[in-house]
Amino acid sequence: MAEDKTKKSIDAATLEMIDKAGKDHVSTVFDRADSMKPCPIGAEGSCCSNCAMGPCRVPLAKGKTETEDDKKKRRGLRGATAETIAARNFTRKIAAGSAAHSDHGRRVTRHFLETARGHHAGFEIKDEQKLLQLAIELGVKIGDRPNNEIAVEIGEILLNEFGKQEGELLFLKRAPLKRQEIWHKLGIAPRGVDREVVEAMHRTHMGVDQDYPNLLLQGARASLADGWGGSMIATDLQDIMFGTPTPALSTINLGVLKEKEVNIIIHGHEPALAEMLAVVSRDPELVSYAKSKGADGINLAGMCCTANEIMMRHGIPIAGNFLQQELAIITGAVEAMVVDVQCIMQGLSAVANCYHTKLITTDDRAKIEGATHMQFDEANAIESAKAIVKVAIDNFSNRKPGIFIPKHKSELIAGFSHETINYLLGGLFRASYRPLNDNIINGRIRGVAGVVGCNNARVTHDDIHVTLVKELIKNDVLVLLTGCAAMAVAKTGLMVPEGAQYAGEGLRSVCETVGIPPVLHMGSCVDNARILIAATAMVKDGGLGDDISDLPACGAAPEWMSEKAVSIGQYFVSSGIYTLFGVTWPTVGSKDVTDFLFKDMEKMYGGMWDFEPDPIKMAQKMIAHIDKKRKALGIDKARERILYDMAMRRELT
Ligand code: NFS
């Protein structure tokens, strides 16, 4: 079972800092979760605020089974049914999540293009092989053209993906053919990224689409525009510009902060600024400037998904995941918290006010009252980043007494991009997923689970992630992780090869042979696109069916809270993956809509949604699904047969 529900976190560093916050009389998200309960009507998706005759509330009557008559009475002023309201709210969440990932993708694409044109000094094309592969895929001539010229053409093609009005997104062709046929049959192959988000907003506007299955089709299309569009473009171009991640050793948790150094936390999502901070924080001039102010050096650490990005590419330590952002400042040892976009709590501003920390916003799309705004100029990136670091150094002498940095930190190995997994499994000259597929077929690996998403202060921080993942690996399920989920698991020390000892015998034997942990960190939230590519590679390697929905695989966001998670979940489902959420389910107010998401979608997509707050029960549901798929593939027998004799062990090694 998961731990005591009244406990705020399973992470010792987090608990120590919550304690310090109390002593310092500083309010955090954990306090506010105690003092303010969620609105029960909004939480079930039964509140419509889409026009000024409302908000109309149509909650489900508690404690009795709803009759058809009861259902008819649940209507807003305009006559909107509870079904329409729940489906509209759900679709809007997808649109917002898809917009967030895709606006990130757009900014990256523009930056890529300007870098290729030579306008963004300090950045370069780092992964030539991936650039050329992408050129071949997009039909861009290579010949003896310089990389920058090829990159300009790629950048222009991909920038067009956002505003495209005709045709469909180019990366959809990466999916298995059967999957593409399903999308075409249902008419949900996304056209341009922006077009799908705009259409979702239009159709959920007052007085437009009032047929819940039809609304949810547009939700699916907007989500695919995220997973196979905005996010996938972001991941590919980030890899080409900043380097495709390879396994890197790093450390995680608040214990990475250093008492005698200038601590700078980079928090947010888009990696351009973080990349530049990683460079300039090692600049000898700035380091000696820090020393002139009495510090031993400059310590850069990441927070949230931008942390995943720079940790995977530079080994920069991670200070924590979503619910730890305020706590980092409460150490009293952070000179600057530098933020860009997404997952940045406004509460940071009030917390920073209680200490000496400078909260610095850097993106004109995301300003915060009370913060200092220092626009990051990609065309003048080095100087912009240096100016930020200098502000942090100048702030070192303003520290107040009462600094406390928890000692807790763990080692982790991350950087399991699709390319790296391919290489680790197959070797440089025969890179492939064949060994993974073979080990699934022979039953040493039961299946694969993607565990992703946020933290949520309504449940014990990190507990649901960790309990779920431990149960999965114990049952020989290889776990692919991104985002805050990856950070939660890494903090427990599972994300090193020695973590294999907690896996079932079959998974352990494979991990020990290859030298990988049983939980693979694949990156940030936009990098969930890597999971789609990995699933597709498994299908294409053969032996596990001819579509993603045939794989013994599933997905989960057990501590979700953001709209981005809903978009991710929907593109997993629409790509054929059984996907579970924990904490709360946003359409409980309509049984029809919930049934449609949980049951009908399986008939449409081969993947469907589910909800289970208990992590052990969630694991059981995931394992049952994996076993169902194994049976359909006819490989369930293979699993029953495995008994590890010496010959098999020799074969493994
Ligand atoms: Ni993704 Fe959740 Fe945010 Fe990252 Fe964490 S909260 S949806 S995991 S940091 S984006």
Side-chain angles (χ1 to χ4, degrees):
M1 273 298 292
E3 294 206 2
D4 173 11
K5 286 199 170 71
T6 60
K7 212 168 150 181
K8 307 265 189 239
S9 176
I10 55 163
D11 171 48
T14 299
L15 291 172
E16 286 174 14
M17 292 314 302
I18 291 174
D19 199 41
K20 180 171 191 289
K23 287 182 189 140
D24 291 357
H25 306 289
V26 175
S27 161
T28 68
V29 59
F30 295 97
D31 303 308
R32 295 186 290 272
D34 279 344
S35 59
M36 183 170 59
K37 296 294 161 211
C39 163
I41 302 171
E44 66 171 53
S46 295
C47 174
C48 177
S49 60
N50 294 12
C51 87
M53 294 192 289
C56 293
R57 296 164 301 159
V58 293
L60 193 63
K62 298 283 173 286
K64 65 171 204 153
T65 316
E66 185 170 54
T67 63
E68 280 305 307
D69 258 5
D70 295 335
K71 203 159 75 180
K72 281 188 196 132
K73 284 182 204 145
R74 288 208 288 138
R75 286 178 184 270
L77 254 67
R78 287 180 279 116
T81 61
E83 283 62 51
T84 297
I85 291 171
R88 261 196 314 231
N89 288 335
F90 195 74
T91 303
R92 281 210 163 184
K93 286 189 196 325
I94 294 172
S98 182
H101 283 146
S102 299
D103 208 36
H104 169 165
R106 181 204 327 274
R107 182 64 69 104
V108 167
T109 311
R110 289 175 60 87
H111 176 42
F112 176 84
L113 196 49
E114 292 307 309
T115 300
R117 285 174 178 152
H119 299 158
H120 284 182
F123 295 101
E124 58 184 339
I125 304 290
K126 284 210 174 128
D127 189 336
E128 184 186 33
Q129 198 188 342
K130 194 157 181 168
L131 175 84
L132 299 182
Q133 272 168 357
L134 189 55
I136 293 167
E137 185 184 344
L138 296 174
V140 172
K141 190 170 147 273
I142 298 175
D144 52 7
R145 298 169 85 192
N147 282 347
N148 278 17
E149 207 177 298
I150 296 168
V152 167
E153 204 175 324
I154 289 176
E156 285 168 349
I157 291 172
L158 293 182
L159 195 58
N160 188 45
E161 290 293 90
F162 294 90
K164 199 160 80 179
Q165 300 300 315
E166 305 285 343
E168 62 182 50
L169 292 180
L170 296 167
F171 285 168
L172 296 187
K173 291 213 165 34
R174 291 178 168 183
L177 280 177
K178 198 169 162 194
R179 183 58 26 195
Q180 295 180 46
E181 280 165 20
I182 291 170
W183 293 334
H184 290 143
K185 203 171 109 226
L186 291 167
I188 56 160
R191 297 152 296 187
V193 175
D194 298 355
R195 178 168 180 186
E196 303 311 348
V197 173
V198 167
E199 188 167 318
M201 294 307 288
H202 176 201
R203 283 165 66 164
T204 54
H205 184 274
M206 182 280 291
V208 188
D209 200 353
Q210 288 153 98
D211 176 66
Y212 73 83
N214 205 42
L215 274 162
L216 295 171
L217 276 178
Q218 181 55 25
R221 185 152 55 180
S223 75
L224 291 171
D226 172 357
W228 296 87
S231 281
M232 201 171 272
I233 292 170
T235 294
D236 270 21
L237 297 187
Q238 285 170 185
D239 281 356
I240 293 172
M241 263 189 299
F242 309 132
T244 301
T246 51
L249 178 68
S250 189
T251 42
I252 181 164
N253 215 341
L254 293 166
V256 305
L257 297 175
K258 295 185 177 157
E259 190 159 352
K260 299 206 166 114
E261 296 194 15
V262 173
N263 289 301
I264 303 173
I265 291 187
I266 172 77
H267 171 21
H269 283 76
E270 293 177 8
L273 168 61
E275 284 284 323
M276 203 41 81
L277 284 176
V279 173
V280 303
S281 62
R282 291 169 187 153
D283 180 293
E285 256 180 45
L286 283 172
V287 174
S288 55
Y289 184 60
K291 288 184 176 162
S292 77
K293 299 285 176 179
D296 283 357
I298 303 169
N299 182 37
L300 179 68
M303 177 72 66
C304 282
C305 271
T306 220
N308 288 325
E309 301 272 5
I310 49 167
M311 181 270 296
M312 295 217 304
R313 296 196 176 94
H314 299 279
I316 302 277
I318 299 181
N321 52 4
F322 177 71
L323 284 180
Q324 292 180 289
Q325 54 188 283
E326 293 167 317
L327 306 179
I329 294 178
I330 291 167
T331 60
V334 174
E335 274 55 56
M337 183 169 276
V338 184
V339 303
D340 60 1
V341 290
Q342 301 173 24
C343 302
I344 299 147
M345 292 190 202
Q346 189 167 358
L348 287 179
S349 178
V351 174
N353 256 338
C354 302
Y355 301 88
H356 77 306
T357 306
K358 283 240 184 292
L359 177 64
I360 302 175
T361 52
T362 60
D363 190 304
D364 49 19
R365 291 168 297 174
K367 294 188 177 179
I368 300 175
E369 192 184 339
T372 305
H373 188 73
M374 295 179 75
Q375 183 64 36
F376 175 58
D377 177 8
E378 287 158 338
N380 198 10
I382 298 172
E383 289 316 310
S384 270
K386 278 185 176 174
I388 290 168
V389 172
K390 197 165 169 298
V391 166
I393 295 171
D394 287 337
N395 198 24
F396 183 72
S397 58
N398 295 327
R399 279 190 185 182
K400 296 176 183 172
I403 288 171
F404 171 71
I405 300 173
K407 296 270 173 290
H408 310 278
K409 58 181 173 184
S410 304
E411 286 199 331
L412 76 155
I413 292 181
F416 292 93
S417 55
H418 155 69
E419 289 82 352
T420 296
I421 295 177
N422 217 7
Y423 164 70
L424 281 176
L425 291 171
L428 187 57
F429 297 108
R430 56 184 179 90
S432 86
Y433 277 61
R434 194 69 253 152
L436 175 62
N437 284 19
D438 285 346
N439 278 304
I440 292 174
I441 292 165
N442 69 28
R444 286 179 194 124
I445 296 177
R446 192 175 197 148
V448 178
V451 179
V452 310
C454 331
N455 288 144
N456 187 314
R458 299 294 176 192
V459 294
T460 305
H461 169 237
D462 288 351
D463 183 30
I464 319 293
H465 286 306
V466 171
T467 310
L468 170 70
V469 168
K470 281 186 173 167
E471 191 64 18
L472 289 172
I473 62 169
K474 204 169 85 189
N475 284 283
D476 294 320
V477 177
L478 177 69
V479 180
L480 309 179
L481 290 148
T482 61
C484 290
M487 294 187 251
V489 173
K491 280 183 268 173
T492 65
L494 269 182
M495 209 169 267
V496 287
E498 297 72 38
Q501 62 185 296
Y502 301 102
E505 191 177 347
L507 176 61
R508 183 167 70 232
S509 63
V510 176
C511 290
E512 285 170 357
T513 306
V514 185
I516 53 172
V519 290
L520 303 183
H521 191 329
M522 294 186 85
S524 65
C525 246
V526 293
D527 291 337
N528 283 317
R530 296 189 201 277
I531 297 181
L532 298 177
I533 295 296
T536 301
M538 287 168 71
V539 172
K540 290 188 175 166
D541 241 290
L544 294 173
D546 52 8
D547 179 39
I548 294 172
S549 63
D550 295 329
L551 296 172
C554 43
E559 295 184 27
W560 80 282
M561 60 85 201
S562 91
E563 293 167 317
K564 286 180 288 179
V566 186
S567 180
I568 294 163
Q570 185 61 61
Y571 74 63
F572 271 27
V573 169
S574 305
S575 300
I577 302 170
Y578 172 52
T579 304
L580 294 101
F581 269 23
V583 191
T584 182
W585 182 252
T587 68
V588 171
S590 166
K591 184 172 179 307
D592 290 359
V593 169
T594 304
D595 281 351
F596 187 86
L597 295 163
F598 289 12
K599 294 175 188 160
D600 297 11
M601 280 199 175
E602 184 173 24
K603 291 176 221 134
M604 297 163 66
Y605 302 121
M608 66 290 194
W609 285 98
D610 204 350
F611 167 60
E612 177 51 67
D614 181 298
I616 298 293
K617 288 187 190 151
M618 185 183 266
Q620 286 163 350
K621 282 182 162 190
M622 293 167 83
I623 292 163
H625 178 81
I626 283 170
D627 288 350
K628 184 174 92 178
K629 293 294 175 184
R630 294 187 65 87
K631 192 161 182 212
L633 289 165
I635 56 173
D636 50 329
K637 300 287 178 301
R639 182 169 169 78
E640 281 161 24
R641 274 203 308 274
I642 52 161
L643 285 170
Y644 286 86
D645 57 21
M646 280 314 289
M648 285 175 78
R649 289 194 174 283
R650 268 198 297 277
E651 181 212 326
L652 263 176
T653 51

